[in-house]
């Protein structure tokens, strides 16, 4: 999917908020050019499940974890973790330039250790966000096991190994199952 297609698919009405990213800020990073191109076209400001994107909390700058937090004891690998957004607990969603721009969710209370891999790349994240949003909108808070199985199958079409390579979405599916009990 191209970045403009993502935006067109995401914005359904005027209430959908979109965040634009400054390409000059992106240019300061070592993420790859295709990732820069994709996110320079923007991202939704918020998305299910309780995710937010943008740099508002970071003075509209594109920081890596190491430079933003400036803790003396941070692992040098955090220089590769470029902040894209966060979850509802304040854990940063990052682009890991050391692993070909894999998307990670980091634990802000545990020295920014990786909680889960969200996606193999930013395009995969965009596709996953659309897939999850469409599911949530279609079920309107009540869903069956069959609908969850259909969601899993759609994730498998995006990435046949999503449950291993994108553990975040597998966890979210299991959270949906837990809500049914």
């Amino acid at each position: 999917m191209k970045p403009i297609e993502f935006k067109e698919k995401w914005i359904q009405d005027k209430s959908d908020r979109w965040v634009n990213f400054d390409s000059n800020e992106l240019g300061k990073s070592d993420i790859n050019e295709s990732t820069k191109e994709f996110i320079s076209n923007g991202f939704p400001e918020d998305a299910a499940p309780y995710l937010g994107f943008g740099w508002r909390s970071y003075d509209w700058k594109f920081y890596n974890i190491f430079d933003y937090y400036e803790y003396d004891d941070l692992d040098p690998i955090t220089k590769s973790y470029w902040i894209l957004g966060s979850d509802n607990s304040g854990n940063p969603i990052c682009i890991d330039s050391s692993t070909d721009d894999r998307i990670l969710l980091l634990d802000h209370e545990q020295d920014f250790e990786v909680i889960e891999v969200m996606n193999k790349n930013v395009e995969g994240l965009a596709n996953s966000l659309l897939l999850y949003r469409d599911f949530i909108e279609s079920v309107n808070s009540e869903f069956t096991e069959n609908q969850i199985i259909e969601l899993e199958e759609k994730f498998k079409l995006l990435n046949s190994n999503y449950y291993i390579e994108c553990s975040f979405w597998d966890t979210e599916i299991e959270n949906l199952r837990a809500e049914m009990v």
Side-chain angles (χ1 to χ4, degrees):
M1 170 173 46
K2 299 212 181 290
I4 194 70
E5 291 175 75
F6 176 48
K7 184 176 183 178
E8 289 170 354
K9 288 180 180 181
W10 189 269
I11 297 178
Q12 297 177 336
D13 60 47
K14 292 179 182 178
S15 67
D16 292 325
R17 298 177 306 190
W18 193 256
V19 176
N20 291 311
F21 293 94
D22 183 340
S23 58
N24 292 325
E25 283 294 316
L26 294 171
K28 297 175 184 176
S29 73
D30 62 347
I31 62 175
N32 67 48
E33 290 304 314
S34 61
T35 302
K36 287 177 187 176
E37 179 184 340
F38 200 99
I39 62 175
S40 69
N41 285 286
F43 238 69
E45 188 172 339
D46 47 47
Y50 307 106
L51 306 175
F53 298 94
W55 301 333
R56 180 176 302 164
S57 299
Y58 305 97
D59 301 321
W60 297 105
K61 305 281 186 210
F62 193 35
Y63 285 104
N64 62 45
I65 293 293
F66 190 87
D67 290 337
Y68 183 75
Y69 288 95
E70 298 180 339
Y71 299 155
D72 292 335
D73 58 346
L74 275 179
D75 188 324
I77 190 66
T78 59
K79 291 178 183 178
S80 301
Y81 298 160
W82 294 90
I83 304 168
L84 181 61
S86 63
D87 70 2
N88 67 326
S89 297
N91 295 311
I93 298 167
C94 294
I95 302 166
D96 180 4
S97 62
S98 72
T99 59
D100 201 25
D101 295 352
R102 198 169 50 163
I103 310 299
L104 306 174
L105 181 65
L106 306 177
D107 190 330
H108 75 283
E109 293 177 346
Q110 296 295 319
D111 297 323
F112 301 99
E113 291 180 10
V114 175
I115 296 173
E116 292 182 298
V117 175
M118 293 182 75
N119 289 91
K120 289 173 32 174
N121 54 45
V122 72
E123 183 180 354
L125 176 62
N127 282 314
S128 296
L129 291 172
L130 283 167
L131 183 61
Y132 197 81
R133 182 206 57 191
D134 292 348
F135 171 78
I136 294 299
E137 287 179 354
S138 72
V139 297
N140 197 20
S141 78
E142 292 184 25
F143 43 87
T144 65
E145 177 64 24
N146 285 341
Q147 289 170 312
I148 293 174
I149 290 170
E150 286 176 29
L151 177 63
E152 284 179 307
E153 293 303 316
K154 290 177 181 177
F155 270 107
K156 287 178 189 173
L157 289 174
L158 289 178
N159 178 352
S160 60
N161 290 322
Y162 86 93
Y163 49 90
I164 296 169
E165 296 173 352
C166 308
S167 59
F168 176 85
W169 297 106
D170 188 49
T171 299
E172 287 307 314
I173 288 172
E174 292 310 312
N175 289 342
L176 291 171
R177 283 198 168 94
E179 287 179 31
M180 288 178 35
V181 178

